[in-house]
PDB file of all heavy atoms in Angstrom:
ATOM      1  N   ASP K 343       1.683   0.139   1.697  1.00 84.00           N
ATOM      2  CA  ASP K 343       1.960   0.195   0.286  1.00 84.00           C
ATOM      3  C   ASP K 343       0.558   0.406  -0.429  1.00 84.00           C
ATOM      4  O   ASP K 343      -0.299  -0.432  -0.301  1.00 84.00           O
ATOM      5  CB  ASP K 343       2.607  -0.946  -0.360  1.00 84.00           C
ATOM      6  CG  ASP K 343       3.947  -1.265   0.380  1.00 84.00           C
ATOM      7  OD1 ASP K 343       4.668  -0.245   0.629  1.00 84.00           O
ATOM      8  OD2 ASP K 343       4.268  -2.326   0.566  1.00 84.00           O
ATOM      9  N   VAL K 344       0.444   1.437  -1.250  1.00 85.00           N
ATOM     10  CA  VAL K 344      -0.763   1.567  -2.018  1.00 85.00           C
ATOM     11  C   VAL K 344      -0.473   1.319  -3.497  1.00 85.00           C
ATOM     12  O   VAL K 344       0.392   1.862  -4.088  1.00 85.00           O
ATOM     13  CB  VAL K 344      -1.387   3.043  -1.895  1.00 85.00           C
ATOM     14  CG1 VAL K 344      -2.697   3.213  -2.750  1.00 85.00           C
ATOM     15  CG2 VAL K 344      -1.678   3.361  -0.420  1.00 85.00           C
ATOM     16  N   LEU K 345      -1.200   0.266  -4.001  1.00 84.00           N
ATOM     17  CA  LEU K 345      -1.090  -0.155  -5.389  1.00 84.00           C
ATOM     18  C   LEU K 345      -2.320  -0.032  -6.166  1.00 84.00           C
ATOM     19  O   LEU K 345      -3.265  -0.594  -5.678  1.00 84.00           O
ATOM     20  CB  LEU K 345      -0.554  -1.555  -5.352  1.00 84.00           C
ATOM     21  CG  LEU K 345       0.652  -1.945  -4.554  1.00 84.00           C
ATOM     22  CD1 LEU K 345       0.768  -3.479  -4.310  1.00 84.00           C
ATOM     23  CD2 LEU K 345       1.839  -1.426  -5.106  1.00 84.00           C
ATOM     24  N   TRP K 346      -2.440   0.748  -7.250  1.00 83.00           N
ATOM     25  CA  TRP K 346      -3.631   0.986  -7.928  1.00 83.00           C
ATOM     26  C   TRP K 346      -3.757  -0.134  -8.915  1.00 83.00           C
ATOM     27  O   TRP K 346      -2.818  -0.365  -9.677  1.00 83.00           O
ATOM     28  CB  TRP K 346      -3.683   2.388  -8.545  1.00 83.00           C
ATOM     29  CG  TRP K 346      -3.694   3.381  -7.536  1.00 83.00           C
ATOM     30  CD1 TRP K 346      -2.640   4.018  -6.861  1.00 83.00           C
ATOM     31  CD2 TRP K 346      -4.850   4.061  -6.944  1.00 83.00           C
ATOM     32  NE1 TRP K 346      -3.109   4.938  -6.020  1.00 83.00           N
ATOM     33  CE2 TRP K 346      -4.524   4.917  -6.018  1.00 83.00           C
ATOM     34  CE3 TRP K 346      -6.322   3.836  -7.255  1.00 83.00           C
ATOM     35  CZ2 TRP K 346      -5.422   5.715  -5.259  1.00 83.00           C
ATOM     36  CZ3 TRP K 346      -7.118   4.535  -6.550  1.00 83.00           C
ATOM     37  CH2 TRP K 346      -6.763   5.528  -5.517  1.00 83.00           C
ATOM     38  N   VAL K 347      -4.937  -0.664  -9.058  1.00 85.00           N
ATOM     39  CA  VAL K 347      -5.208  -1.713 -10.020  1.00 85.00           C
ATOM     40  C   VAL K 347      -6.292  -1.186 -11.035  1.00 85.00           C
ATOM     41  O   VAL K 347      -6.938  -0.329 -10.703  1.00 85.00           O
ATOM     42  CB  VAL K 347      -5.654  -3.085  -9.429  1.00 85.00           C
ATOM     43  CG1 VAL K 347      -4.495  -3.567  -8.517  1.00 85.00           C
ATOM     44  CG2 VAL K 347      -6.993  -2.933  -8.687  1.00 85.00           C
ATOM     45  N   PRO K 348      -6.443  -1.804 -12.273  1.00 85.00           N
ATOM     46  CA  PRO K 348      -7.345  -1.323 -13.216  1.00 85.00           C
ATOM     47  C   PRO K 348      -8.835  -1.316 -12.818  1.00 85.00           C
ATOM     48  O   PRO K 348      -9.543  -0.436 -13.204  1.00 85.00           O
ATOM     49  CB  PRO K 348      -7.124  -2.238 -14.459  1.00 85.00           C
ATOM     50  CG  PRO K 348      -5.866  -2.792 -14.241  1.00 85.00           C
ATOM     51  CD  PRO K 348      -5.664  -2.953 -12.775  1.00 85.00           C
ATOM     52  N   GLY K 349      -9.305  -2.238 -12.060  1.00 87.00           N
ATOM     53  CA  GLY K 349     -10.711  -2.313 -11.599  1.00 87.00           C
ATOM     54  C   GLY K 349     -10.939  -3.387 -10.630  1.00 87.00           C
ATOM     55  O   GLY K 349     -10.038  -4.044 -10.133  1.00 87.00           O
ATOM     56  N   ALA K 350     -12.097  -3.448 -10.143  1.00 90.00           N
ATOM     57  CA  ALA K 350     -12.571  -4.331  -9.024  1.00 90.00           C
ATOM     58  C   ALA K 350     -12.217  -5.777  -9.333  1.00 90.00           C
ATOM     59  O   ALA K 350     -11.836  -6.656  -8.503  1.00 90.00           O
ATOM     60  CB  ALA K 350     -13.942  -4.080  -8.644  1.00 90.00           C
ATOM     61  N   PHE K 351     -12.444  -6.206 -10.583  1.00 91.00           N
ATOM     62  CA  PHE K 351     -12.355  -7.442 -11.077  1.00 91.00           C
ATOM     63  C   PHE K 351     -10.777  -8.010 -10.912  1.00 91.00           C
ATOM     64  O   PHE K 351     -10.696  -9.137 -10.631  1.00 91.00           O
ATOM     65  CB  PHE K 351     -12.765  -7.626 -12.473  1.00 91.00           C
ATOM     66  CG  PHE K 351     -12.972  -9.124 -12.964  1.00 91.00           C
ATOM     67  CD1 PHE K 351     -14.068  -9.787 -12.616  1.00 91.00           C
ATOM     68  CD2 PHE K 351     -11.953  -9.669 -13.818  1.00 91.00           C
ATOM     69  CE1 PHE K 351     -14.184 -11.154 -13.061  1.00 91.00           C
ATOM     70  CE2 PHE K 351     -12.136 -10.959 -14.235  1.00 91.00           C
ATOM     71  CZ  PHE K 351     -13.266 -11.727 -13.908  1.00 91.00           C
ATOM     72  N   GLU K 352      -9.906  -7.001 -11.116  1.00 90.00           N
ATOM     73  CA  GLU K 352      -8.485  -7.410 -11.004  1.00 90.00           C
ATOM     74  C   GLU K 352      -7.981  -7.488  -9.565  1.00 90.00           C
ATOM     75  O   GLU K 352      -6.771  -7.880  -9.307  1.00 90.00           O
ATOM     76  CB  GLU K 352      -7.703  -6.432 -11.858  1.00 90.00           C
ATOM     77  CG  GLU K 352      -7.917  -6.593 -13.316  1.00 90.00           C
ATOM     78  CD  GLU K 352      -9.146  -5.900 -13.836  1.00 90.00           C
ATOM     79  OE1 GLU K 352      -9.737  -5.039 -13.118  1.00 90.00           O
ATOM     80  OE2 GLU K 352      -9.773  -6.336 -14.939  1.00 90.00           O
ATOM     81  N   LEU K 353      -8.737  -7.106  -8.582  1.00 91.00           N
ATOM     82  CA  LEU K 353      -8.268  -7.018  -7.270  1.00 91.00           C
ATOM     83  C   LEU K 353      -7.757  -8.390  -6.687  1.00 91.00           C
ATOM     84  O   LEU K 353      -6.675  -8.530  -6.080  1.00 91.00           O
ATOM     85  CB  LEU K 353      -9.360  -6.425  -6.277  1.00 91.00           C
ATOM     86  CG  LEU K 353      -9.521  -4.949  -6.325  1.00 91.00           C
ATOM     87  CD1 LEU K 353     -10.782  -4.584  -5.620  1.00 91.00           C
ATOM     88  CD2 LEU K 353      -8.350  -4.272  -5.699  1.00 91.00           C
ATOM     89  N   ALA K 354      -8.533  -9.455  -7.043  1.00 92.00           N
ATOM     90  CA  ALA K 354      -8.070 -10.737  -6.456  1.00 92.00           C
ATOM     91  C   ALA K 354      -6.718 -11.249  -7.083  1.00 92.00           C
ATOM     92  O   ALA K 354      -5.909 -11.759  -6.382  1.00 92.00           O
ATOM     93  CB  ALA K 354      -9.199 -11.778  -6.808  1.00 92.00           C
ATOM     94  N   GLN K 355      -6.533 -10.934  -8.410  1.00 91.00           N
ATOM     95  CA  GLN K 355      -5.220 -11.279  -9.000  1.00 91.00           C
ATOM     96  C   GLN K 355      -4.015 -10.619  -8.335  1.00 91.00           C
ATOM     97  O   GLN K 355      -3.019 -11.205  -7.919  1.00 91.00           O
ATOM     98  CB  GLN K 355      -5.299 -10.999 -10.423  1.00 91.00           C
ATOM     99  CG  GLN K 355      -3.963 -11.384 -11.117  1.00 91.00           C
ATOM    100  CD  GLN K 355      -3.977 -11.009 -12.650  1.00 91.00           C
ATOM    101  OE1 GLN K 355      -4.902 -10.458 -13.045  1.00 91.00           O
ATOM    102  NE2 GLN K 355      -2.798 -11.330 -13.294  1.00 91.00           N
ATOM    103  N   VAL K 356      -4.223  -9.304  -8.053  1.00 89.00           N
ATOM    104  CA  VAL K 356      -3.138  -8.534  -7.410  1.00 89.00           C
ATOM    105  C   VAL K 356      -2.985  -8.931  -5.963  1.00 89.00           C
ATOM    106  O   VAL K 356      -1.920  -9.126  -5.437  1.00 89.00           O
ATOM    107  CB  VAL K 356      -3.359  -7.012  -7.508  1.00 89.00           C
ATOM    108  CG1 VAL K 356      -2.454  -6.174  -6.727  1.00 89.00           C
ATOM    109  CG2 VAL K 356      -3.424  -6.522  -8.963  1.00 89.00           C
ATOM    110  N   ALA K 357      -4.168  -9.160  -5.214  1.00 90.00           N
ATOM    111  CA  ALA K 357      -4.037  -9.642  -3.842  1.00 90.00           C
ATOM    112  C   ALA K 357      -3.345 -10.934  -3.732  1.00 90.00           C
ATOM    113  O   ALA K 357      -2.560 -11.201  -2.805  1.00 90.00           O
ATOM    114  CB  ALA K 357      -5.460  -9.730  -3.316  1.00 90.00           C
ATOM    115  N   ALA K 358      -3.697 -11.832  -4.648  1.00 91.00           N
ATOM    116  CA  ALA K 358      -2.998 -13.203  -4.693  1.00 91.00           C
ATOM    117  C   ALA K 358      -1.443 -13.028  -4.809  1.00 91.00           C
ATOM    118  O   ALA K 358      -0.705 -13.682  -4.061  1.00 91.00           O
ATOM    119  CB  ALA K 358      -3.524 -14.088  -5.796  1.00 91.00           C
ATOM    120  N   ARG K 359      -1.085 -12.158  -5.613  1.00 89.00           N
ATOM    121  CA  ARG K 359       0.391 -11.882  -5.854  1.00 89.00           C
ATOM    122  C   ARG K 359       1.068 -11.364  -4.544  1.00 89.00           C
ATOM    123  O   ARG K 359       2.120 -11.730  -4.147  1.00 89.00           O
ATOM    124  CB  ARG K 359       0.652 -10.907  -7.031  1.00 89.00           C
ATOM    125  CG  ARG K 359       1.945 -10.805  -7.534  1.00 89.00           C
ATOM    126  CD  ARG K 359       2.378 -12.040  -8.311  1.00 89.00           C
ATOM    127  NE  ARG K 359       3.744 -11.970  -8.617  1.00 89.00           N
ATOM    128  CZ  ARG K 359       4.146 -11.607  -9.899  1.00 89.00           C
ATOM    129  NH1 ARG K 359       3.227 -11.471 -10.801  1.00 89.00           N
ATOM    130  NH2 ARG K 359       5.349 -11.623 -10.191  1.00 89.00           N
ATOM    131  N   LEU K 360       0.280 -10.446  -3.843  1.00 86.00           N
ATOM    132  CA  LEU K 360       0.822  -9.766  -2.771  1.00 86.00           C
ATOM    133  C   LEU K 360       0.888 -10.809  -1.500  1.00 86.00           C
ATOM    134  O   LEU K 360       1.820 -10.692  -0.767  1.00 86.00           O
ATOM    135  CB  LEU K 360      -0.033  -8.579  -2.397  1.00 86.00           C
ATOM    136  CG  LEU K 360       0.067  -7.411  -3.320  1.00 86.00           C
ATOM    137  CD1 LEU K 360      -0.951  -6.313  -2.965  1.00 86.00           C
ATOM    138  CD2 LEU K 360       1.438  -6.831  -3.204  1.00 86.00           C
ATOM    139  N   VAL K 361      -0.054 -11.604  -1.342  1.00 84.00           N
ATOM    140  CA  VAL K 361      -0.109 -12.607  -0.268  1.00 84.00           C
ATOM    141  C   VAL K 361       0.990 -13.551  -0.476  1.00 84.00           C
ATOM    142  O   VAL K 361       1.478 -14.209   0.542  1.00 84.00           O
ATOM    143  CB  VAL K 361      -1.435 -13.258   0.021  1.00 84.00           C
ATOM    144  CG1 VAL K 361      -2.466 -12.173   0.344  1.00 84.00           C
ATOM    145  CG2 VAL K 361      -1.903 -14.150  -1.142  1.00 84.00           C
ATOM    146  N   ASP K 362       1.447 -13.799  -1.697  1.00 84.00           N
ATOM    147  CA  ASP K 362       2.555 -14.783  -1.879  1.00 84.00           C
ATOM    148  C   ASP K 362       3.838 -14.185  -1.435  1.00 84.00           C
ATOM    149  O   ASP K 362       4.915 -14.892  -1.292  1.00 84.00           O
ATOM    150  CB  ASP K 362       2.693 -15.158  -3.319  1.00 84.00           C
ATOM    151  CG  ASP K 362       1.502 -16.034  -3.785  1.00 84.00           C
ATOM    152  OD1 ASP K 362       0.902 -16.733  -2.916  1.00 84.00           O
ATOM    153  OD2 ASP K 362       1.279 -16.286  -5.029  1.00 84.00           O
ATOM    154  N   GLU K 363       4.000 -12.834  -1.279  1.00 78.00           N
ATOM    155  CA  GLU K 363       5.195 -12.219  -0.861  1.00 78.00           C
ATOM    156  C   GLU K 363       5.284 -12.257   0.621  1.00 78.00           C
ATOM    157  O   GLU K 363       4.347 -11.895   1.299  1.00 78.00           O
ATOM    158  CB  GLU K 363       5.259 -10.757  -1.365  1.00 78.00           C
ATOM    159  CG  GLU K 363       5.218 -10.612  -2.862  1.00 78.00           C
ATOM    160  CD  GLU K 363       5.208  -9.233  -3.327  1.00 78.00           C
ATOM    161  OE1 GLU K 363       5.436  -8.250  -2.503  1.00 78.00           O
ATOM    162  OE2 GLU K 363       5.038  -9.050  -4.512  1.00 78.00           O
ATOM    163  N   ASP K 364       6.424 -12.687   1.202  1.00 65.00           N
ATOM    164  CA  ASP K 364       6.590 -12.868   2.639  1.00 65.00           C
ATOM    165  C   ASP K 364       6.553 -11.668   3.406  1.00 65.00           C
ATOM    166  O   ASP K 364       6.326 -11.704   4.660  1.00 65.00           O
ATOM    167  CB  ASP K 364       8.024 -13.516   2.897  1.00 65.00           C
ATOM    168  CG  ASP K 364       7.819 -15.044   2.412  1.00 65.00           C
ATOM    169  OD1 ASP K 364       6.840 -15.612   2.366  1.00 65.00           O
ATOM    170  OD2 ASP K 364       8.949 -15.579   2.230  1.00 65.00           O
ATOM    171  N   ASP K 365       6.818 -10.463   2.887  1.00 68.00           N
ATOM    172  CA  ASP K 365       6.828  -9.241   3.635  1.00 68.00           C
ATOM    173  C   ASP K 365       5.494  -8.583   3.840  1.00 68.00           C
ATOM    174  O   ASP K 365       5.430  -7.447   4.312  1.00 68.00           O
ATOM    175  CB  ASP K 365       7.912  -8.309   3.161  1.00 68.00           C
ATOM    176  CG  ASP K 365       7.628  -7.786   1.760  1.00 68.00           C
ATOM    177  OD1 ASP K 365       6.817  -8.510   1.021  1.00 68.00           O
ATOM    178  OD2 ASP K 365       8.234  -6.847   1.362  1.00 68.00           O
ATOM    179  N   HIS K 366       4.390  -9.179   3.452  1.00 75.00           N
ATOM    180  CA  HIS K 366       3.084  -8.615   3.612  1.00 75.00           C
ATOM    181  C   HIS K 366       2.289  -9.413   4.661  1.00 75.00           C
ATOM    182  O   HIS K 366       2.187 -10.596   4.461  1.00 75.00           O
ATOM    183  CB  HIS K 366       2.299  -8.432   2.378  1.00 75.00           C
ATOM    184  CG  HIS K 366       3.005  -7.548   1.361  1.00 75.00           C
ATOM    185  ND1 HIS K 366       3.539  -7.985   0.110  1.00 75.00           N
ATOM    186  CD2 HIS K 366       3.203  -6.176   1.448  1.00 75.00           C
ATOM    187  CE1 HIS K 366       3.979  -6.911  -0.446  1.00 75.00           C
ATOM    188  NE2 HIS K 366       3.869  -5.908   0.296  1.00 75.00           N
ATOM    189  N   HIS K 367       1.711  -8.754   5.565  1.00 78.00           N
ATOM    190  CA  HIS K 367       0.919  -9.364   6.664  1.00 78.00           C
ATOM    191  C   HIS K 367      -0.576  -9.614   6.171  1.00 78.00           C
ATOM    192  O   HIS K 367      -1.170 -10.496   6.691  1.00 78.00           O
ATOM    193  CB  HIS K 367       0.903  -8.654   7.984  1.00 78.00           C
ATOM    194  CG  HIS K 367       2.289  -8.753   8.656  1.00 78.00           C
ATOM    195  ND1 HIS K 367       3.313  -7.967   8.277  1.00 78.00           N
ATOM    196  CD2 HIS K 367       2.620  -9.448   9.744  1.00 78.00           C
ATOM    197  CE1 HIS K 367       4.353  -8.256   9.111  1.00 78.00           C
ATOM    198  NE2 HIS K 367       3.947  -9.133   9.934  1.00 78.00           N
ATOM    199  N   ALA K 368      -0.970  -8.747   5.381  1.00 85.00           N
ATOM    200  CA  ALA K 368      -2.362  -8.710   4.949  1.00 85.00           C
ATOM    201  C   ALA K 368      -2.504  -7.798   3.707  1.00 85.00           C
ATOM    202  O   ALA K 368      -1.552  -7.028   3.366  1.00 85.00           O
ATOM    203  CB  ALA K 368      -3.257  -8.214   6.091  1.00 85.00           C
TER     204      ALA K 368
END
Side-chain angles (χ1 to χ4, degrees):
D343 301 318
V344 178
L345 308 164
W346 293 88
V347 300
F351 193 78
E352 291 78 22
L353 284 167
Q355 179 182 4
V356 173
R359 192 72 184 261
L360 292 169
V361 300
D362 286 341
E363 297 177 11
D364 288 337
D365 61 341
H366 294 116
H367 289 78

